[in-house]
Amino acid sequence: MPPAHPLQPLAHAIRFLAIDAIVRAGEGHQGVPLGMAEIATALYTRHLKHDPADPLWPDRDRVVLSNGHGSMLLYALLHLSGYERITLEQIRRFRELGAHTAGHPEIDPAAGIELTTGLLGQGIANALGMAVAEAHLNARFGGSLVDHRTWAFVGDGCLQEGVGQEAIALAGHLRLAKLTFLWDDNRITDDGSTELSISESVPERFRVAQWHVQEVDGHDIEAVSAAIAAAKEDPRPSLIACRTVIARGITRLEGQRGGHSAKLFEADAQAAREALGWPHPPFEVPAAVLQAWRDAGARSRPAHDAWRARVAALPAAGRAEFERVQRGELPAGWRNVLLEHKRAALAAEPASAQAGATQSGIFLSSAIHERLNDVLPERFVLCPDLEAPTSHKRGVTAFTATDRAGRYLHCGVREHVMGAMANGMAAHGGTLPVAVTYFAFSDYERPALRMAALMRLPVKFVFSHDSIGIGRNGPTHQPVEMLAALRAMPDMLVMRPADIVEAAECWEIALEHRAGPVSLVFARQALPRVREAAGTGSSAAENLCRRGAYVLAEAAGGARRVTLLATGSEVALAVQARARLQAEGVPTAVVSMPCWELFEQQDSAWQQHVLGPGTMRVAVEAAVRFGWERWLGERGAFVGMAGFGASGPADELYRHFGITVEAVVAAARQGLARAARPEAAPN
Amino acid sequence: MPPAHPLQPLAHAIRFLAIDAIVRAGEGHQGVPLGMAEIATALYTRHLKHDPADPLWPDRDRVVLSNGHGSMLLYALLHLSGYERITLEQIRRFRELGAHTAGHPEIDPAAGIELTTGLLGQGIANALGMAVAEAHLNARFGGSLVDHRTWAFVGDGCLQEGVGQEAIALAGHLRLAKLTFLWDDNRITDDGSTELSISESVPERFRVAQWHVQEVDGHDIEAVSAAIAAAKEDPRPSLIACRTVIARGITRLEGQRGGHSAKLFEADAQAAREALGWPHPPFEVPAAVLQAWRDAGARSRPAHDAWRARVAALPAAGRAEFERVQRGELPAGWRNVLLEHKRAALAAEPASAQAGATQSGIFLSSAIHERLNDVLPERFVLCPDLEAPTSHKRGVTAFTATDRAGRYLHCGVREHVMGAMANGMAAHGGTLPVAVTYFAFSDYERPALRMAALMRLPVKFVFSHDSIGIGRNGPTHQPVEMLAALRAMPDMLVMRPADIVEAAECWEIALEHRAGPVSLVFARQALPRVREAAGTGSSAAENLCRRGAYVLAEAAGGARRVTLLATGSEVALAVQARARLQAEGVPTAVVSMPCWELFEQQDSAWQQHVLGPGTMRVAVEAAVRFGWERWLGERGAFVGMAGFGASGPADELYRHFGITVEAVVAAARQGLARAARPEAAPN
């Protein structure tokens, strides 16, 4: 056996913090921290640009633990490097409720935790988004302000997942040289040998995708470090395949299936101490080793100081813009663009507004985006091969391998990685990612939507072709349950604007909303203007969508008896139904409900004002009823879809499925008649 | 130009049926049928084993149009080959409401349409499942009964999607020799050149994945035919990369981005007729060409006759079993196994029943499956690298490249392709696919879940680790919104059993249910038996879950005042809350609601009996409230999750999030007090 590498004690410090924390917690995943300790040591002591004293330094390298179950690797690294929030006490409290040291990493950049990870494949796709953000900001602000790398710790699972495969293909295509994957090639997954489920050479798969690939002994610190150095020199993204032994150090489990997460005992920890020559008690890092780690953590401080000096030396306007973008603040002027757009829409003659609404509803969004191009330079659009029908590329060029200034990314037919990249861009900071696709494909990116919500990232997800209104492409492409499925997701604002005015208002809210993701859902079919037509008497500056739901047209000729609730393309239908009912002498209001989540947050007085207690409520939405009972109460009626759609012309489908003015009117009449019969008590 | 191939007119017949139908419909996707006409001609006239006179012949080859937007290719092939349901009139009615010729193919095996396709990547993953089913049935029943191939027409989109990449990796690993992809290598997607979003060699990617790969001119019928012949000889799955020109024949669009689906006009059709020398009027196929097609369609009739003879010659028992499995009928005896299991569970002393419930809730399902091994030989389990924690491999071996008799497929960390494969297996027939994973990963396979529902395929999706009860792995792995998201999906039965008895009852229902998919959702934590403890007085044979919800414990000591609604792991909690309320003199019932969809189908009398009109209803479920208003009405209360979970011990999490006996009792008390105050009217 050769003499131990001088950095070996640093790697062992990771290893034993992980072992001690996992033994103490009684559970955890030792496979990654024990298998990747040397890899991480090579990266953190010699290559990583970071400053534990300022975890939010915008030009820091980003580290993504894509194999998030190995969270103790990250916590050990953060503690040893000197990140203040990850104290030894936190390490001791691994997996306890309320600790920073959760079972899987939970986003907290101020603690050095860049992302929530653990759903396999998400992390490397996030990392790709971070590398895109860096490349774009590097082009926008120059290499003296933005020049950092993205490193991802990666396991077999991440690379088997479809989203991971999408990330590999797209990263190679985009030649993101500053993206490096450190692959824990331990040939073991939870079920056993990787041979159970894969027969391809992973390095070859990356080579085909135009990556720079190296294969090294993952326990040889010098070899890993040399590979990292070579990766930094190559113009392609890099895979470093690090051959490792899972659970290295726990003799009983080394290289075994149980190495992944089989329970560790005190005896295992003791045996490891003896085997590896680590005489120190649990949770104790020898002072010299800790100092070496802290010195390593301070390596980039001069670079950080120099960077600060360069920022300070910037012309005032340039510096202000750079700092604004880094803080994620919106620029001056963006709101005026939306207000002008809305004023112009409201000022147009109803006839011309109607005439203007012969184009696809999603174009109401893209027209707004075209106007935002100049005023919102951080906006960055991603789209999976639907440029023409979704139309959000107006006035911008593509981000490519050779042009990083572009603000539109052709993702290929890869929705999942698109969503996860958008998350990575938002977590990185400096850009405002907008991910656009058909609503029917929202399921493809749903794991990424959920991660955006869980991380409360300010991503704008835009969906078009939102219902049976897409017509002849049929039920595969007709979302009927997706509104409900998205509304069920915590911390996701779901908006379905009814017309050009609501589109502007919803975008105003969406751009302001930094506390989580927003989904904006648009029809394919034309959306005639409804706002002024029904006369709400509000000023152009007032954003009626802000309260989630509002009375678009109040009942006339007496106390309100019927309340018609609708969203998106069905608001126009409700307006027509109201006209019929009013003509029959039934005082009827139309309520537009573009955002349930915002309405839910309103006080009871507003909710009652809008919903009309005691009135017959009829909801109309070209989607399933699921969830509508929240607003309908026990007596309300629903006009919408009872199941999946069909292939046919849109107008025929609306008739076929009974989503018509007549059906709404009939439901209201029946409800009123039923209420007049006292014997029909609610259940 | 060389002389036209004698089969060229057959290819042109496809081409012009497609052009004429698309011109008539005013929309459609010409790219695929015009680009792949020669490829399809080579396959259908010389290689495909099928019998248009008997589309359901179990030993037919399966054809999957994975690029489903090119549906006119399939309709033209079916019509020309002689499938009765796809008449010329149907071709004329392309994309009309109610026609067989929908915008995207919609499953109808009796018409020759094997699958609903159009969401890219699904079809090839379905095809992989079909090939698995064939290989397994071939092993089970022998090559004289089962020996057919699976062919997939594939576009660039299918191969870019993550699920497609998962399918490529797994098919190569499994060496499914009878699976062939015919790739429409036209170098164009909707956004333009494929160079916009991919830089890798697709053939090389397949070679890495251990496929047999050939590259041919896709308009050279002879070359394609030779490649198909070679594919049939190779022991690996085959990719035939067919270099094509998109929209071949429409000069204006050939090789262009608009070739995909730009609107076609009469003038285009006329120009194509002149360019390709096709003087026949729209929708007219010359008699000789039609005859050649019909002859081609009849090619396999002798093989079919011989197959029928072999089936007829089988010993009676073997034949009956083969035919039973093909019909998808359940065998004798399966139900008794479940009933015995249930009887034993009910007969156990409550103490021992509780003691037995110290293992994971999902093991209640795996224990049942272990007992089904012998009696239900068509059961086939798929799982993405979670064999140990989900435990559904008990007593069976793995299906591998060398052992096709295995009934468990290690899918690798690839949930999406698992779900889509299960769909393909169900559509193929002859097996009963069961796809098992953590509930948190249901989002990863959600597009496949939706396709199962849309196709009404009898797939059993099993989910474990269904709530915050998983504990310290944290919010990434804690489903809170997934129950609501699944319940929102049409035609999907969602079941969440409360204990060992309900597990057996729900599996009884799930196995009987052939009209669509079922999702069975189990806890990770132990599920103590609740059924007998609360005493329903039912016999063991009676399946109380069949009506979706039932009174597990009726109120005592007076008319019911409180109704506690719960599912799964929270039913035990409701039972404890009931004991408290009863002790306080509040007559309280517990309702278990394992399946909302079944309860929804019950008559009003049953629903009222269960829900208790006028009582205070409190629902408890470790998930979000979304959807519960349907059962709670306006006055009901909900005890559950308000957002995402956290990392910590399960019992602490239940307390932390307030899902406790105390909270349920308090909600009931408050509701009763509120109801006693007349001023508090519902809104």
Side-chain angles (χ1 to χ4, degrees), chain A residues 25 27 29 94-98 102-104 106 116-122 157 160-163 165-166 169-170 173 189-192 195-201 204-205 208-210 257 383 385-389 408 410-416 440-441 443-444 446-447 450-451 453-454 472-482 484-485 487-491 524 596 608 611 613-614 617 624 626-627 629-630 632-635 642-644 646-649 652-653 656 683, chain B residues 25 27 29 94-98 102-104 106 116-122 157 160-163 165-166 169-170 173 189-192 195-201 204-205 208-210 257 383 385-389 408 410-416 440-441 443-444 446-447 450-451 453-454 472-482 484-485 487-491 524 596 608 611 613-614 617 624 626-627 629-630 632-635 642-644 646-649 652-653 656 683:
Chain A
E27 60 179 55
H29 297 79
F94 177 54
R95 292 186 155 236
E96 288 185 14
L97 186 56
H104 290 82
E106 296 182 11
T116 300
T117 51
L119 294 183
L120 297 181
Q122 296 295 319
Q160 291 182 15
E161 289 284 4
V163 65
Q165 287 289 320
E166 293 179 1
L170 197 50
H173 171 71
T189 64
D190 204 49
D191 278 7
E195 289 174 9
L196 281 173
S197 57
I198 189 164
S199 297
E200 69 193 48
S201 159
E204 285 307 310
R205 196 276 168 267
V208 167
Q210 308 295 313
R257 180 178 173 189
C383 186
D385 201 48
L386 291 171
E387 182 198 327
Y408 185 95
H410 292 278
C411 296
V413 186
R414 307 181 185 102
E415 298 83 6
H416 197 170
F441 305 156
D443 275 356
Y444 275 72
R446 190 168 167 91
R450 180 173 192 256
M451 289 308 300
L454 185 54
R472 299 176 192 253
N473 275 326
T476 50
H477 287 60
Q478 291 166 355
V480 296
E481 78 285 25
M482 274 124 183
R487 286 168 179 157
M489 189 179 282
D491 300 320
R524 175 201 188 184
W596 288 18
Q608 303 271 325
L611 294 175
R617 282 179 222 141
V624 298
F626 196 85
E629 282 85 2
R630 172 77 184 83
L632 286 174
E634 287 168 12
R635 294 198 305 115
F644 290 112
S647 172
E652 283 186 41
L653 291 178
H656 177 71
N683 65 1
Chain B
E27 62 180 53
H29 297 79
F94 177 53
R95 290 184 156 240
E96 289 185 14
L97 185 57
H104 290 81
E106 296 181 11
T116 300
T117 52
L119 294 183
L120 297 181
Q122 296 296 319
Q160 292 182 14
E161 290 284 4
V163 65
Q165 288 288 321
E166 292 179 1
L170 198 50
H173 171 69
T189 64
D190 204 49
D191 278 8
E195 290 174 8
L196 283 172
S197 57
I198 189 166
S199 295
E200 71 193 48
S201 159
E204 284 307 311
R205 196 277 168 269
V208 167
Q210 309 295 313
R257 179 177 174 190
C383 186
D385 202 48
L386 291 170
E387 181 199 328
Y408 186 93
H410 291 278
C411 295
V413 186
R414 307 182 184 102
E415 297 83 6
H416 197 169
F441 306 155
D443 275 357
Y444 274 73
R446 192 169 165 90
R450 180 174 192 256
M451 290 307 299
L454 185 54
R472 298 176 191 253
N473 274 327
T476 51
H477 287 58
Q478 290 165 356
V480 296
E481 79 284 24
M482 275 124 183
R487 286 168 179 158
M489 189 179 282
D491 300 320
R524 175 202 186 184
W596 290 17
Q608 302 271 325
L611 295 174
R617 282 179 223 140
V624 298
F626 197 86
E629 282 84 2
R630 171 78 183 83
L632 286 174
E634 286 167 13
R635 295 197 306 113
F644 291 110
S647 172
E652 284 187 40
L653 291 177
H656 177 72
N683 64 2

Side-chain angles (χ1 to χ4, degrees), chain B residues 101 139 181 241-242 268 305 325 371 386 405 504 516 531 534 597:
Chain B
T101 47
F181 288 0
C242 306
D268 293 311
D305 291 339
V325 167
R371 302 188 67 157
L386 291 170
R531 178 67 69 83
E597 295 79 16

Side-chain angles (χ1 to χ4, degrees), chain A residues 221-418:
Chain A
I221 294 174
E222 214 54 50
V224 172
S225 179
I228 293 175
K232 288 156 78 173
E233 296 303 312
D234 199 274
R236 296 164 292 179
S238 274
L239 171 74
I240 305 178
C242 306
R243 187 72 182 91
T244 60
V245 176
I246 197 168
R248 172 85 154 214
I250 305 288
T251 324
R252 181 173 64 88
L253 299 172
E254 270 186 7
Q256 306 297 309
R257 180 178 173 189
H260 180 72
S261 60
K263 190 172 169 67
L264 290 193
F265 302 92
E266 293 281 1
D268 293 312
Q270 195 48 47
R273 285 186 154 75
E274 282 159 26
L276 300 178
W278 188 262
H280 319 291
F283 296 107
E284 193 174 304
V285 182
V289 174
L290 185 60
Q291 191 55 52
W293 263 116
R294 295 291 155 91
D295 291 347
R299 276 176 37 255
S300 306
R301 207 151 293 159
H304 190 178
D305 291 340
W307 179 87
R308 268 196 276 247
R310 290 195 299 274
V311 171
L314 286 173
R319 179 175 170 179
E321 175 65 4
F322 178 66
E323 291 180 341
R324 176 188 75 76
V325 167
Q326 294 298 337
R327 284 193 306 270
E329 279 172 17
L330 293 172
W334 72 274
R335 195 187 309 272
N336 279 343
V337 168
L338 289 179
L339 285 177
E340 278 164 26
H341 187 77
K342 183 176 150 186
R343 270 194 205 98
L346 280 169
E349 286 300 309
S352 73
Q354 301 269 348
T358 53
Q359 58 183 6
S360 179
I362 182 64
F363 284 29
L364 299 178
S365 175
S366 49
I368 288 168
H369 275 259
E370 191 174 16
R371 301 188 68 159
L372 289 172
N373 279 340
D374 292 338
V375 74
L376 206 58
E378 62 266 41
R379 193 180 59 93
F380 190 103
V381 178
L382 305 98
C383 186
D385 201 48
L386 291 171
E387 182 198 327
T390 61
S391 187
H392 276 62
K393 197 181 173 185
R394 297 186 195 177
V396 291
T397 57
F399 174 95
T400 67
T402 53
D403 180 4
R404 306 302 202 191
R407 291 196 268 155
Y408 185 95
L409 208 163
H410 292 278
C411 296
V413 186
R414 307 181 185 102
E415 298 83 6
H416 197 170
V417 77
M418 173 184 75

Side-chain angles (χ1 to χ4, degrees), chain B residues 146-172:
Chain B
V146 181
D147 183 13
H148 53 269
R149 298 180 168 274
T150 305
W151 311 93
F153 294 101
V154 181
D156 292 295
C158 291
L159 303 181
Q160 292 182 14
E161 290 284 4
V163 65
Q165 288 288 321
E166 292 179 1
I168 293 166
L170 198 50

